[in-house]
């Protein structure tokens, strides 16, 4: 490998975890990286989810890395440390990092439910967290509805619920044992409420698609999941409030569930840089000025994106632990720096990979070249909520201009889906 651009474990540079639990997680993960790296190209070509790798994760306790230690997990509770681990993993394979992110982020959000939820929610969270710690549970999220579909929860007239709809872009789905499905429920007065039913893979009427032909992140197990009269018990439904309520407090949970993905795209950019710079270093002749300019620009962008991501993660860690003040203000205080960082990284990481293609030259313009995979994978960042580019512009400009708008993209989507075309 070419020499890295930074060596010191300074907090904020995403080079090293900041807690003992974070170091333990990274040490365990490091032992699996050679296998992941060696299989990444074939898995990308075949859109094959690395089932055996995730079986290794389960044996090592990594599927429960963000589960509290008292429930059997590794006890990693810092967003910063999770992002560091995902960055290192993404350097080997971004698809695997994206899929593991799903599990790790669910551990973080379920821990909050276990600590602060209602008694039924706390009981459900504890059961799932303990199962994650033993490797028995792989918990996926279903956020985005298929085009023209509204995923809905309706009464079964016996005290329970029935779920109908279809979700797309559900990562880690091939091994998912439980699905947190963002759905809507219409009340008798016409109010639309946001709910999250938790559905076991074995539930009647649940179907996981077998294949997905994505542009990038092809080995992430990102599939469609359909629900047809899936039974859901009353104690497996998380209430999220009325659509249109304009509660910025929810931005805190959305930040926690997504901000660690910044590490994935930093890792993709780092991997591309290492491939390109190592190739340049092997050349016998002095590199021309154009090459030197590209290399300096690449390392400058990498430093910038790591610094921006690290700062946003440290900010989120600080605010996530403080529930003492205005919770709406806390939500905005976590989301806004996250969006500054996400926007920056979604610009700089693809630029790094693009410059690396220029350094390597025409040989990289082949489907199975590692840089081709990285070029496709890095573009996924711009589509990830919260927020995609357009929604992110709306949010950040709204904050600057004091716009009176609903910042909960799930609420906005729900109301939009109910508006006649």
């Amino acid at each position: 490998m070419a020499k890295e651009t930074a060596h010191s474990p300074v907090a904020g540079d995403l080079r090293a975890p900041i807690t003992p639990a974070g170091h333990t997680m990274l040490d365990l993960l490091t032992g699996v990286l050679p296998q992941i790296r060696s299989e990444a190209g074939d898995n990308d070509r075949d859109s094959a989810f690395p089932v055996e790798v995730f079986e290794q994760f389960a044996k090592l306790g990594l599927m429960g890395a963000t589960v509290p230690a008292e429930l059997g997990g590794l006890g990693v509770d810092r967003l910063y440390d999770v992002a560091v681990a995902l960055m290192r993993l993404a350097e080997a394979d971004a698809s695997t990092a994206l899929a593991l992110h799903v599990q790790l982020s669910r551990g973080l959000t379920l821990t909050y439910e276990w600590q602060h939820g209602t008694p039924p929610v706390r009981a459900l969270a504890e059961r799932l967290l303990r199962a994650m710690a033993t490797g028995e549970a792989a918990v996926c999220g279903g956020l985005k509805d298929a085009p023209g579909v509204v995923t809905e929860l309706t009464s079964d007239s016996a005290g329970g619920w029935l779920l109908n709809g279809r979700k797309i872009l559900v990562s880690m789905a091939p091994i998912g044992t439980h699905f947190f499905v963002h759905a809507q429920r219409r009340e008798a007065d016409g109010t639309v409420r946001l709910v999250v039913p938790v559905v076991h893979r074995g539930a009647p009427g649940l179907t996981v698609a077998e294949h997905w032909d994505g542009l990038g992140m092809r080995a992430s197990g990102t599939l469609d999941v359909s629900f047809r009269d899936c039974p859901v018990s009353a104690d497996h439904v998380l209430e999220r409030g009325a659509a249109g309520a304009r509660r910025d407090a929810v931005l805190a949970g959305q930040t926690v569930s997504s901000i660690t993905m910044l590490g994935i795209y930093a890792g993709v950019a780092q991997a591309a840089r290492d491939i390109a710079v190592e190739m340049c270093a092997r050349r016998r002749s002095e590199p021309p000025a154009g090459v030197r300019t590209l290399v300096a620009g690449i390392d400058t962008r990498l430093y910038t994106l790591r610094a921006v991501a690290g700062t946003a993660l440290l900010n989120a860690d600080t605010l996530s632990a403080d529930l003492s003040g205005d919770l709406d203000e806390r939500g905005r205080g976590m989301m806004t720096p996250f969006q500054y960082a996400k926007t920056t990284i979604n610009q700089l990481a693809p630029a790094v990979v693009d410059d690396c293609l220029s350094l390597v030259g025409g040989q990289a313009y082949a489907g199975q070249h590692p840089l081709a995979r990285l070029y496709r994978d890095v573009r996924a960042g711009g589509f990830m909520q919260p927020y995609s580019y357009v929604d992110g512009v709306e949010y950040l400009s709204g904050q600057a201009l004091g716009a009176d708008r609903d910042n909960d993209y799930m609420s906005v989507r729900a109301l939009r889906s109910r508006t006649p075309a």
Side-chain angles (χ1 to χ4, degrees):
M1 296 292 288
K3 184 181 293 185
E4 291 187 342
T5 56
H7 300 280
S8 61
V10 177
D13 70 356
L14 292 185
R15 286 300 183 189
I18 54 179
T19 68
H23 279 282
T24 298
M25 173 174 61
L26 186 58
D27 289 345
L28 292 169
L29 183 61
T30 299
V32 195
L33 292 183
Q35 176 187 352
I36 294 169
R37 186 175 289 108
S38 69
E39 297 174 354
D42 290 344
N43 289 338
D44 174 77
R45 182 194 63 224
D46 300 334
S47 292
F49 185 79
V51 174
E52 292 183 0
V53 165
F54 277 79
E55 290 173 349
Q56 282 288 99
F57 288 165
K59 291 177 182 177
L60 293 169
L62 288 166
M63 296 295 278
T66 53
V67 173
E70 54 264 52
L71 299 183
L74 297 182
V76 179
D77 60 2
R78 298 292 185 92
L79 297 163
Y80 184 94
D81 286 355
V82 174
V84 169
L86 290 174
M87 178 176 175
R88 194 69 58 82
L89 179 53
E91 291 178 41
D93 181 34
S95 287
T96 303
L98 179 61
L100 184 60
H101 155 78
V102 172
Q103 181 82 347
L104 298 180
S105 66
R106 189 58 60 195
L108 293 167
T109 57
L110 276 172
T111 296
Y112 182 88
E113 301 285 2
W114 175 61
Q115 293 170 336
H116 303 287
T118 63
V121 169
R122 292 178 64 185
L124 173 62
E126 180 170 341
R127 290 196 301 273
L128 286 172
L129 287 166
R130 289 188 182 278
M132 291 169 70
T134 61
E136 299 172 71
V139 187
C140 301
L143 277 75
K144 187 174 179 59
D145 280 331
V149 174
V150 177
T151 301
E152 294 186 277
L153 200 64
T154 57
S155 173
D156 66 358
S157 301
W161 303 97
L162 296 175
L163 181 66
N164 285 277
R166 179 160 64 96
K167 294 294 183 178
I168 62 175
L169 303 176
V170 181
S171 297
M172 200 180 69
I175 63 168
T177 60
H178 298 78
F179 296 87
F180 275 59
V181 186
H182 289 254
Q184 301 177 30
R185 186 181 69 218
R186 184 183 285 276
E187 303 296 292
D189 62 0
T191 301
V192 175
R193 298 192 67 82
L194 305 177
V195 292
V196 182
V198 181
V199 189
H200 190 273
R201 190 188 189 96
L206 186 153
T207 303
V208 178
E210 295 183 357
H211 186 70
W212 178 66
D213 188 18
L215 174 66
M217 299 293 188
R218 290 171 55 81
S220 60
T222 300
L223 303 173
D224 291 9
V225 182
S226 301
F227 311 92
R228 183 172 181 178
D229 288 336
C230 279
V232 183
S233 61
D235 60 353
H236 279 60
V237 178
L238 307 182
E239 299 286 340
R240 292 294 185 249
R246 301 196 178 193
R247 296 177 300 109
D248 281 354
V250 304
L251 302 181
Q254 292 174 0
T255 299
V256 169
S257 68
S258 300
I259 192 171
T260 60
M261 279 195 292
L262 297 178
I264 297 175
Y265 300 100
V268 172
Q270 182 68 51
R273 180 264 181 202
D274 289 345
I275 291 170
V277 172
E278 183 177 20
M279 188 208 70
C280 292
R282 289 201 305 263
R283 293 171 177 167
R284 296 181 179 179
S285 59
E286 177 73 14
V291 169
R292 297 197 303 272
T293 300
L294 283 171
V295 169
I298 286 167
D299 278 359
T300 299
R301 290 190 181 104
L302 271 173
Y303 178 84
T304 301
L305 69 85
R306 286 202 318 270
V308 168
T311 300
L313 286 155
L314 291 171
N315 171 77
D317 273 326
T318 298
L319 292 181
S320 67
D322 184 5
L323 297 171
S324 62
D326 183 323
L327 296 185
D328 286 337
E329 183 177 342
R330 170 178 174 261
R332 293 187 294 271
M334 293 174 68
M335 180 61 78
T336 302
F338 170 28
Q339 292 307 307
Y340 291 148
K342 186 175 187 293
T343 301
T344 300
I345 289 171
N346 286 346
Q347 294 171 348
L348 295 185
V352 167
V353 181
D354 189 67
D355 281 351
C356 290
L357 284 167
S358 297
L359 281 176
V360 173
Q363 62 181 295
Y365 199 67
Q368 293 306 304
H369 193 282
L371 281 178
R373 170 167 50 86
L374 295 171
Y375 192 71
R376 289 183 280 104
D377 287 348
V378 79
R379 289 295 290 117
F383 301 103
M384 299 291 182
Q385 292 278 7
Y387 298 101
S388 63
Y389 176 76
V390 172
D391 292 339
V393 167
E394 287 296 307
Y395 174 79
L396 289 175
S397 63
Q399 293 303 296
L401 300 172
D404 181 17
R405 65 186 301 271
D406 191 348
N407 294 312
D408 179 1
Y409 72 100
M410 297 303 298
S411 172
V412 172
R413 281 182 177 178
L415 293 179
R416 188 181 298 150
S417 71
R418 298 288 181 174
T419 303

